[in-house]
Amino acid sequence: MENLGTVPDKFVYDRAAGYPIYFHQVHKATDGKTQLVAHLIETGKKKEKELYGPKDFTLDEDRVLTCPAGQQTSHTSRSKNSDGWDFRFSAKTCQGCVLLDKCRPDTKPTSRRSVFISDYRYFQWGVLAYAETDQFKVDMKFRANIERIIAALVRYNGGRRAKSNGLEAADYQARSAATAYNLKRWLKLNDES
């Protein structure tokens, strides 16, 4: 954006960019013009027990959280560890619930149920919806082409780590590795024709 005044329509990345905060950062940095495409990393759900996680709860505009059984809470506080809110359901609210075992089987009946809702929840929903489309599958297949190039740069063209200090030297080395890769690729394509 700074250098050319434009940004790509899509930024296809591997699973390392699969946290909702990165989708938010790309959206913010490009004024919503670039879509980050990556597999979402599941957070907030204890898979081994198949417990209800944050995605199973509904948050309305008035910041009232509704659980899968229909119970509601507005008891919340800003999370100290993450970007989001901690909602609390009291033990009294959950008492006698038919879904208690799927919600919190290992806790005492007198303890409360806490649910963390991320500030980036809506980006997570958008990612999940896009991941169900055919275009997402096409985008992810395209990523394999990029991975082959990166692997060649790292394995055969000295791109694994910088051999000198400073950004200029590292940039020069990266450009040299890319030039070597392109020359090898060009020779191979000319041999085939």
Side-chain angles (χ1 to χ4, degrees):
M1 183 70 102
E2 288 177 20
N3 294 330
L4 303 174
T6 185
V7 292
D9 293 333
K10 291 183 181 176
F11 183 50
V12 183
Y13 209 83
D14 61 13
R15 203 172 193 91
Y19 291 99
I21 188 171
Y22 297 133
F23 290 88
H24 168 74
Q25 288 173 344
V26 168
H27 180 81
K28 185 177 176 184
T30 64
D31 295 328
K33 295 176 184 167
T34 299
Q35 177 183 7
L36 176 61
V37 179
H39 285 287
L40 189 69
I41 295 173
E42 288 286 332
T43 58
K45 189 165 185 174
K46 299 175 184 173
K47 289 185 176 182
E48 68 275 3
K49 298 176 183 171
E50 291 301 320
L51 298 180
Y52 289 121
K55 288 191 312 187
D56 301 310
F57 291 74
T58 306
L59 182 65
D60 68 16
E61 295 171 3
D62 298 323
R63 201 174 297 186
V64 175
L65 190 69
T66 306
C67 78
Q71 295 294 332
Q72 296 184 326
T73 186
S74 58
H75 297 288
T76 185
S77 61
R78 189 75 182 153
S79 175
K80 294 176 184 170
N81 302 325
S82 301
D83 295 337
W85 296 87
D86 291 317
F87 286 83
R88 295 173 304 283
F89 290 88
S90 67
K92 185 178 178 183
T93 303
C94 298
Q95 200 170 31
C97 179
V98 295
L99 301 177
L100 194 63
D101 287 343
K102 283 200 79 172
C103 195
R104 52 181 198 176
D106 294 339
T107 58
K108 300 175 189 170
T110 56
S111 67
R112 64 182 185 207
R113 168 68 156 111
S114 295
V115 180
F116 172 75
I117 301 296
S118 169
D119 289 342
Y120 314 112
R121 177 181 177 105
Y122 298 105
F123 287 96
Q124 183 178 12
W125 288 349
V127 172
L128 290 170
Y130 186 68
E132 297 296 320
T133 65
D134 291 335
Q135 186 58 47
F136 177 78
K137 293 173 186 157
V138 170
D139 291 342
M140 293 315 288
K141 281 184 183 176
F142 174 73
R143 220 187 113 254
N145 297 329
I146 299 163
E147 289 297 320
R148 280 194 284 278
I149 294 168
I150 292 171
L153 289 171
V154 168
R155 295 173 77 189
Y156 309 116
N157 296 288
R160 182 167 303 278
R161 63 180 51 91
K163 295 181 175 29
S164 302
N165 293 331
L167 286 177
E168 272 187 44
D171 182 57
Y172 179 78
Q173 181 182 337
R175 288 174 190 263
S176 297
T179 302
Y181 172 83
N182 287 335
L183 285 171
K184 290 178 191 178
R185 185 80 181 121
W186 179 75
L187 284 170
K188 184 168 177 142
L189 289 172
N190 282 333
D191 282 348
E192 291 173 0
S193 52

